Amino acid sequence: MTNIDIDFAKNWAATRTSDLAAHRELYAGEEDFAIETRMVDDHLGDTVTTTEEFNEELAQYVNKDTENGLGVQSLTVTEAFPGNGHILIHWDYAVEGAATFRGIAVEGKTLTSKGSTFLQFNDAGKIVLESTILNENPIFQQLGLPIITPHYWEEGFDPASLTAA
C-alpha cells in the first residue's frame, strides 16, 4: 500500500474542490468503493458506488464555475491520523460567495465550520470507503437560525434549560 499520511489528506482535500477527475483517481474501481456523505443510516439510494454517482454527487464541491451560486468552497486539512489501511482527516470548511446554503440566503457572508472524513484503503492504496461529515450547525447559526448547541459536558448543565418554561 502507498504511504497514507497528511500529504495524502491534503491532496484529497485539494482535489475535492479543484479537480474531480484527479479526485476520482484516488478511489478504487467502479463499485469497489463507497462514499457515504448523505444519510448514512439509510443505504438505499444514498451511497455513492459508481463513477456516474461520484461525478453527480461531488460536482457540487468543485470550484469550476463560481457563477453556479454555490460559491467558492475550501477544505483545509488541520489534522490527519493514519492507521493500518485507513486515515481520519479533520478539516476546516469555508464557502465564500454562495447565494444560498441548503436553501437559506447567505447574504454575502463567508460561512465556516469543521468536518471530518474517514477513509479506508485497499492494498493498492485506493480509497474503498469514505465517510464524511460536515458540522452544519455552526453554518446555520451564522445564517441566523436559532440552533441550540448545549454544552452537556459542563459541570452544572441542566437539561431542563432546553425546554420551554
Side-chain angles (χ1 to χ4, degrees), residues 32 46 51 66 115 154:
D32 286 337
D46 63 8
T51 299
T66 57
E154 290 181 359

Side-chain angles (χ1 to χ4, degrees), residues 16-143:
R16 181 75 150 225
T17 58
S18 66
D19 187 343
L20 194 57
H23 195 64
R24 175 65 181 93
E25 287 299 315
L26 301 174
Y27 293 77
E30 185 91 6
E31 297 192 13
D32 286 337
F33 71 93
I35 299 176
E36 304 215 352
T37 59
R38 295 176 271 181
M39 299 173 61
V40 296
D41 60 339
D42 175 11
H43 299 287
L44 293 175
D46 63 8
T47 300
V48 174
T49 60
T50 68
T51 299
E52 181 180 345
E53 293 168 341
F54 183 96
N55 291 335
E56 181 180 308
E57 178 66 21
L58 298 184
Q60 65 183 313
Y61 300 104
V62 179
N63 297 320
K64 63 182 176 190
D65 177 11
T66 57
E67 299 299 317
N68 60 11
L70 299 175
V72 175
Q73 301 177 71
S74 66
L75 303 178
T76 304
V77 173
T78 57
E79 296 178 294
F81 304 96
N84 185 16
H86 60 273
I87 190 170
L88 175 65
I89 306 167
H90 293 304
W91 38 270
D92 290 336
Y93 173 80
V95 60
E96 185 175 357
T100 64
F101 184 86
R102 302 287 188 251
I104 302 165
V106 172
E107 299 173 356
K109 296 176 182 168
T110 296
L111 306 173
T112 61
S113 191
K114 296 187 177 295
S116 295
T117 298
F118 175 83
L119 300 174
Q120 183 177 343
F121 301 88
N122 65 15
D123 290 339
K126 297 291 187 174
I127 299 167
V128 293
L129 174 67
E130 174 190 322
S131 182
T132 293
I133 184 74
L134 169 63
N135 183 2
E136 293 182 333
N137 283 343
I139 295 172
F140 293 136
Q141 289 170 325
Q142 292 164 44
L143 294 172

